[in-house]
């Protein structure tokens, strides 16, 4: 087991990483007043185990899935916290994937202007990304993460044991974010290329999760509130990925991140930003997880969704694209051109996939 410490101007998070972290650190929370937030699927799998570790504690169970990440569910959680007598020194435990982590983090930030928060991520995506760094949010009116705040957990317990029950599709979803880190960090990139056939092995996942967390912690320490541009890099693949996710649904967030990364890589290639063997290797990494990149009908609509992305200004769409090993850049592409490239890439994929 290894710790990563993430220090910002106002907070410090300790991230406990590795097999055995849950058994070692969760019982230490028992002296506190706890309020657990989880989802229906996770509760079915781990509710009994949670009770055996924490005893009977007040708990709010949201329906599993992105649809729960909304203001109505947030208010229901806050009401339940009030009814349970949660106090300022109580601790909210977010036990689940990124959906639970995002909404529970926001509830913890809002309740009595902020109560203590511990994240216990149970999906690969939440372990490598969403549980670390303090972004909390719910969606509203079809706009993703539009209501949220930065609120650092004081502790994150990242234990690969929870991945044993995670469906393969959700592992792929987390690998989407892992490959994103590969496009941002040269060491992770090299490790991924070297282990391209071993991505789903437990030992590899435990090791790479630690690397991703360390990378994210460094970036968040530099730019906690997404102001200087350093943290923006973590959105590689996300402009197109989020737009497609909102328009087409069905697939998971991480798959859309990878699909977005593929489309944006092709755009970067067209502009000569990411070329040669490096671009080919990144494509290989993406395809090793996705197998087949989908084409989309009326993909042009993704451009107008992307235009509403928080990162954009005026008529330019902001994309974070890979440049060379360990280096990404922000490119601003004119709306019409972006629309045209999306369509061309999708048409090429349709011909290839047919
Ligand atoms: P999720 O929370 O919906 O989990 C995916 C599915 O896996 C759910 O059905 C869940 O019930 C199930 N599940 C969770 N743990 C399980 C386990 N151990 N065994 C079996 N099933 C399990 O989705 P996610 O992919 O974890 O997270 C996606 C969310 O994270 C999105 O809302 C996205 O916006 C957000 N996100 C936030 C940040 C951030 O920095 N805050 C970063 C990336 C993504
Ligand atoms: N997942 C993007 C971020 O945390 O900034």
């Amino acid at each position: 087991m290894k710790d990563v410490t993430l220090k910002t101007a106002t907070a410090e998070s300790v991230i406990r990483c590795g097999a055995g972290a849950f058994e070692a650190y969760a019982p230490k929370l028992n002296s506190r007043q706890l309020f657990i937030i989880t989802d229906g699927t996770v509760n079915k799998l781990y509710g009994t185990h949670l009770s055996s570790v924490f005893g009977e504690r007040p708990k709010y169970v949201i329906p599993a899935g992105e649809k729960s990440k909304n203001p109505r569910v947030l208010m229901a959680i806050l009401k339940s916290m009030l009814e349970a007598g949660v106090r300022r020194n109580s601790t909210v435990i977010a036990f689940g994937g990124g959906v639970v982590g995002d909404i529970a983090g926001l509830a913890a930030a809002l309740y009595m202007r902020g109560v203590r928060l511990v994240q216990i991520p149970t999906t690969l995506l939440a372990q490598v990304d969403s549980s670390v760094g303090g972004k909390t949010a719910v969606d509203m009116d079809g706009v993703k993460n539009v209501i949220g705040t930065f609120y650092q957990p004081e502790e994150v317990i990242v234990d690969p044991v929870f991945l044993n029950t995670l469906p393969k599709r959700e592992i792929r979803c987390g690998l989407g974010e892992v490959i994103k880190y590969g496009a941002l960090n040269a060491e992770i990139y090299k490790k991924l290329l070297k282990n391209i056939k071993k991505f789903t092995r437990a030992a590899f996942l435990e090791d790479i999760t630690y690397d991703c967390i360390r990378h994210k912690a460094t970036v968040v320490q530099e730019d906690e509130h997404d102001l200087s541009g350093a943290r923006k890099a973590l959105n590689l693949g996300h402009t197109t990925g989020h737009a497609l996710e909102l328009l087409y649904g069905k697939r998971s967030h991480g798959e859309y991140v990878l699909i977005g990364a593929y489309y944006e890589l092709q755009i970067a290639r067209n502009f000569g930003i990411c070329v040669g063997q490096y671009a080919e290797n990144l494509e290989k990494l993406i395809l090793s997880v996705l197998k087949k990149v989908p084409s989309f009908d009326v993909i042009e609509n993704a451009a107008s969704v992307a235009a509403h992305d928080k990162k954009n200004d005026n008529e330019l769409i902001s994309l974070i694209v890979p440049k060379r090993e360990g280096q990404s850049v922000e490119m601003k592409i004119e709306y019409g051109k972006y629309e045209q490239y999306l369509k061309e890439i999708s048409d090429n994929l349709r011909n290839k996939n047919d």
Side-chain angles (χ1 to χ4, degrees):
M1 273 183 292
K2 296 182 224 169
D3 285 356
V4 176
T5 302
L6 189 167
K7 274 193 196 153
T8 68
T10 52
E12 180 168 322
S13 288
V14 185
I15 304 146
R16 319 279 190 194
C17 307
F22 183 74
E23 293 307 320
Y25 292 104
K28 293 187 198 285
L29 300 168
N30 258 327
S31 56
R32 306 188 193 176
Q33 196 201 26
L34 303 176
F35 185 89
I36 298 168
I37 302 173
T38 187
D39 76 27
T41 304
V42 177
N43 194 45
K44 261 197 205 122
L45 289 165
Y46 295 104
T48 311
H49 188 49
L50 282 184
S51 304
S52 74
V53 174
F54 296 126
E56 286 313 316
R57 303 286 190 155
K59 179 159 75 176
Y60 195 90
V61 182
I62 65 173
E66 183 74 23
K67 285 207 166 70
S68 285
K69 236 179 86 172
N70 67 56
R72 190 183 45 76
V73 175
L74 173 68
M75 287 305 149
I77 292 173
L78 292 170
K79 191 165 185 294
S80 171
M81 289 167 74
L82 188 63
E83 283 165 2
V86 172
R87 298 191 296 263
R88 280 219 70 191
N89 64 351
S90 302
T91 299
V92 164
I93 295 188
F95 187 82
V99 166
V100 165
D102 278 12
I103 196 167
L106 186 53
L110 292 174
Y111 188 83
M112 293 187 175
R113 300 197 182 92
V115 295
R116 299 160 87 181
L117 170 67
V118 173
Q119 293 272 2
I120 308 182
T122 63
T123 62
L124 180 60
L125 179 139
Q127 297 194 345
V128 297
D129 194 352
S130 62
S131 64
V132 174
K135 277 192 181 173
T136 74
V138 291
D139 312 331
M140 189 171 70
D141 292 347
V143 186
K144 227 175 129 58
N145 298 331
V146 71
I147 303 174
T149 182
F150 292 93
Y151 195 67
Q152 296 298 342
E154 62 175 47
E155 192 174 6
V156 186
I157 301 176
V158 180
D159 193 323
V161 71
F162 300 117
L163 306 185
N164 293 336
T165 53
L166 201 61
K168 276 206 185 84
R169 186 174 170 209
E170 296 300 335
I171 296 278
R172 269 211 313 278
C173 170
L175 283 170
E177 299 285 358
V178 171
I179 286 168
K180 170 194 83 178
Y181 284 107
L184 302 174
N185 178 303
E187 297 309 312
I188 297 178
Y189 166 74
K190 285 186 194 121
K191 216 178 247 189
L192 286 172
L193 271 188
K194 210 167 135 198
N195 293 283
I196 201 154
K197 297 234 160 21
K198 300 184 192 155
F199 284 175
T200 52
R201 292 200 188 159
F204 174 76
L205 286 177
E206 182 173 345
D207 184 49
I208 207 82
T209 296
Y210 175 71
D211 293 338
C212 294
I213 289 173
R214 265 198 328 176
H215 179 88
K216 181 154 187 186
T218 310
V219 172
V220 173
Q221 284 180 165
E222 190 185 330
D223 181 23
E224 181 184 13
H225 295 125
D226 229 341
L227 296 172
S228 74
R231 191 165 183 168
K232 227 180 187 181
L234 295 174
N235 284 320
L236 190 137
H238 284 60
T239 302
T240 307
H242 272 174
L244 295 174
E245 183 178 2
L246 276 171
L247 276 178
Y248 298 97
K250 288 199 186 86
R251 293 179 178 82
S252 63
H253 174 79
E255 281 175 275
Y256 277 114
V257 167
L258 265 189
I259 295 167
Y262 177 90
Y263 275 78
E264 293 179 12
L265 173 63
Q266 307 315 323
I267 295 177
R269 272 176 152 167
N270 272 307
F271 277 78
I273 295 174
C274 184
V275 291
Q277 191 61 45
Y278 181 56
E280 272 171 42
N281 285 347
L282 284 181
E283 182 167 320
K284 201 160 90 184
L285 287 176
I286 294 172
L287 294 178
S288 73
V289 177
L290 271 185
K291 312 290 180 221
K292 195 163 135 183
V293 186
S295 58
F296 296 91
D297 291 334
V298 283
I299 193 169
E300 305 85 280
N301 292 349
S304 62
V305 177
H308 289 108
D309 193 289
K310 298 187 285 299
K311 296 186 287 302
N312 298 317
D313 46 48
N314 304 323
E315 293 299 298
L316 297 175
I317 309 280
S318 159
L319 306 178
I320 311 296
V321 294
K323 186 170 180 186
R324 57 175 74 95
E325 277 186 44
Q327 199 192 341
S328 63
V329 285
E330 180 177 14
M331 70 175 280
K332 301 230 173 178
I333 176 168
E334 195 240 312
Y335 181 94
K337 270 221 162 76
Y338 176 62
E339 212 176 23
Q340 180 198 326
Y341 276 120
L342 288 181
K343 193 165 165 9
E344 276 173 25
I345 298 163
S346 181
D347 287 347
N348 284 342
L349 284 167
R350 186 172 300 112
N351 293 335
K352 211 156 94 183
N353 294 341
D354 278 348

